Amino acid sequence: MMGRKALDYEELNENVKKVQYAVRGELYLRASELQKEGKRIIFTNVGNPHALGQKPLTFPRQVVALCQAPFLLDDPNVGLIFPADAIARAKHYLSLAPGGLGAYSDSRGIPGVRQEVAEFIQRRDGYPSDPELIYLTDGASKGVMQMLNAIIRNERDGILVPVPQYPLYSAAISLFGGSLVPYYLEEEANWGLDLVSTRQSVAEARSKGITVRAMVIINPGNPTGQCLSEANIRELLNFCYQENLVLLADEVYQQNVYQDERPFISARKVMFDMGPPVSREVQLISFHTVSKGYWGECGQRGGYFEMTNIPPKTVDEIYKVASIALSPNVPGQIFMGLMVNPPKPGDISYLKYSAESKSILESLRRRAQIMTDGFNSCRNVVCNFTEG
């Protein structure tokens, strides 16, 4: 009788079996079964705006359509269907990708798109950004997984993760064989960060022989919805400096802000505002994506991460690992370029793009308020105001 084979369940990598991913876990599978039985299911397990009826923004789809079908640019009637600025942007991206969308790009992403991302970061934060330290990825999730894979060496390496958290973190940490070290957000303090209890979490982990190596922050919070204050981010950066932790800043919801009192402020901006030694010493990786905000282009898988204060030799190693996949998907890279460099006032498509964007964000803000009020109207249920 033959023995067990490598892909028999009992023989699988134990880290794979440990992974729990609630976003696509038991509830999702049961809902899928009910859907097959003819039940109408509204899937709210994951932020997936277009699946719930959000219309795509017109301008980026026009540009990518022309990039996907460049023969349309040779049609004498192209100007009747597509606005001139969409045609110009499509030509711009095709000039950056000589083989078109069907060819591999650099493993870090198209240099010209990385330049656009760097310029966006500089406008947002007021500090220059180096395109050589920006890697384009298939959505932010791929970037998060690349970095966790680089940081986690064995089961004694711990990653501080906020609870409640987005389950990508617990799943990826399990997959790479590390240890999740929870730190708890305070619901009573509007899901703010209490560094006293965070220090306790670190001390407890160390008492078990775990080396805490990195800290994840999600800002605006997912699933909690809070926008971290500048003071809170400063405390956090000081904490990472004192404890020698890499800061992984998940900032994918930075456009989803539903109030005006507490705007989004990036960890990178606060860090540079603080000056040395924090601005020179804290190792920071920041993540963004086209999946969220008012774009909601989840299926396009466009994302980036930016590295700050990471040694050049480490950057080389991360490039080596990125190159195993040859290149991030090229249409996703173009979506990212368009997101960070959208139509400007005076452009033909600006008014339409601006109106569509405003309408989506106002709708999200309105619905966040409806959800909050709805929960608060239930007996024995308390729900914080959704800041973002």
Side-chain angles (χ1 to χ4, degrees):
M1 186 178 161
M2 291 182 75
R4 284 178 179 163
K5 297 180 180 70
L7 280 176
D8 289 351
Y9 176 79
E10 296 78 11
E11 296 297 310
L12 289 180
N13 178 339
E14 285 301 320
N15 291 337
V16 171
K17 291 198 266 185
K18 278 182 204 158
V19 170
Q20 297 287 327
Y21 188 54
V23 165
R24 291 281 165 94
E26 287 176 48
L27 281 175
Y28 171 80
L29 295 172
R30 179 73 185 115
S32 300
E33 284 171 21
L34 292 170
Q35 189 180 46
K36 283 178 195 158
E37 290 168 18
K39 301 270 195 315
R40 182 167 174 262
I41 303 291
I42 298 172
F43 286 86
T44 60
N45 56 305
V46 67
N48 195 11
H50 292 195
L52 297 171
Q54 181 176 308
K55 295 282 183 288
L57 296 169
T58 305
F59 181 75
R61 289 296 185 98
Q62 288 172 326
V63 174
V64 177
L66 288 167
C67 290
Q68 289 277 22
F71 49 82
L72 293 176
L73 292 166
D74 301 327
D75 190 304
N77 295 320
V78 68
L80 300 175
I81 304 168
F82 293 92
D85 53 352
I87 293 169
R89 283 300 285 280
K91 286 178 177 172
H92 162 70
Y93 286 120
L94 288 169
S95 76
L96 298 179
L101 272 56
Y104 292 127
S105 75
D106 184 293
S107 300
R108 294 163 292 193
I110 297 167
V113 175
R114 287 188 282 133
Q115 181 63 45
E116 287 181 304
V117 174
E119 287 163 8
F120 156 79
I121 292 169
Q122 178 161 351
R123 284 194 306 273
R124 184 193 68 188
D125 296 343
Y127 295 98
S129 170
D130 183 353
E132 293 300 302
L133 299 174
I134 292 165
Y135 282 33
L136 304 180
T137 52
D138 294 341
S141 304
K142 270 284 163 68
V144 167
M145 292 180 78
Q146 275 182 37
M147 295 315 305
L148 287 172
N149 195 18
I151 292 166
I152 294 167
R153 300 166 302 182
N154 54 50
E155 71 283 353
R156 290 188 301 283
D157 280 347
I159 312 289
L160 271 168
V161 176
V163 175
Q165 55 116 17
Y166 178 58
L168 162 68
Y169 293 96
S170 48
I173 292 164
S174 291
L175 185 61
F176 300 133
S179 294
L180 185 145
V181 179
Y183 69 92
Y184 297 93
L185 301 175
E186 302 292 319
E187 187 170 8
E188 295 73 23
N190 199 29
W191 297 113
L193 183 66
D194 176 18
L195 280 174
V196 174
S197 73
T198 306
R199 282 195 176 89
Q200 285 171 349
S201 295
V202 172
E204 199 176 311
R206 285 179 179 152
S207 73
K208 294 175 185 164
I210 291 169
T211 305
V212 181
R213 286 168 58 81
M215 180 177 196
V216 173
I217 59 164
I218 307 176
N219 180 38
N222 178 16
T224 44
Q226 85 289 4
C227 292
L228 290 177
S229 68
E230 189 173 344
N232 220 182
I233 298 171
R234 264 201 310 273
E235 281 185 307
L236 220 147
L237 284 157
N238 272 321
F239 175 72
C240 288
Y241 173 68
Q242 291 155 9
E243 301 292 344
N244 211 10
L245 303 176
V246 178
L247 182 60
L248 303 175
D250 177 335
E251 297 172 334
V252 302
Y253 282 100
Q254 61 190 259
Q255 294 157 316
N256 302 65
V257 176
Y258 306 141
Q259 38 70 45
D260 303 313
E261 298 74 46
R262 198 169 351 200
F264 166 79
I265 179 164
S266 74
R268 182 179 182 274
K269 174 173 170 47
V270 178
M271 186 170 90
F272 283 127
D273 283 351
M274 288 169 78
V278 169
S279 64
R280 289 215 187 116
E281 295 288 330
V282 173
Q283 296 183 337
L284 170 67
I285 315 288
S286 308
F287 303 91
H288 200 7
T289 182
V290 299
S291 297
K292 310 302 172 196
Y294 44 88
W295 284 57
E297 292 280 9
C298 302
Q300 308 290 356
R301 309 314 299 134
Y304 76 75
F305 63 84
E306 183 199 26
M307 297 173 274
T308 308
N309 295 330
I310 306 301
K313 275 185 155 178
T314 302
V315 174
D316 291 345
E317 292 301 310
I318 289 162
Y319 175 60
K320 186 176 72 182
V321 173
S323 65
I324 294 170
L326 288 168
S327 96
N329 90 77
V330 177
Q333 295 181 51
I334 292 171
F335 270 99
M336 180 50 76
L338 289 160
M339 187 182 88
V340 296
N341 187 15
K344 294 173 180 59
D347 291 352
I348 297 162
S349 298
Y350 174 74
L351 288 176
K352 184 174 189 179
Y353 173 84
S354 181
E356 288 175 350
S357 304
K358 192 165 174 255
S359 162
I360 292 167
L361 276 173
E362 281 175 355
S363 168
L364 289 167
R365 184 187 277 221
R366 205 166 50 243
R367 284 182 285 167
Q369 189 69 61
I370 290 166
M371 286 290 286
T372 308
D373 293 346
F375 279 126
N376 281 327
S377 69
C378 299
R379 244 178 70 203
N380 301 329
V381 175
V382 179
C383 181
N384 284 339
F385 171 68
T386 308
E387 293 182 339

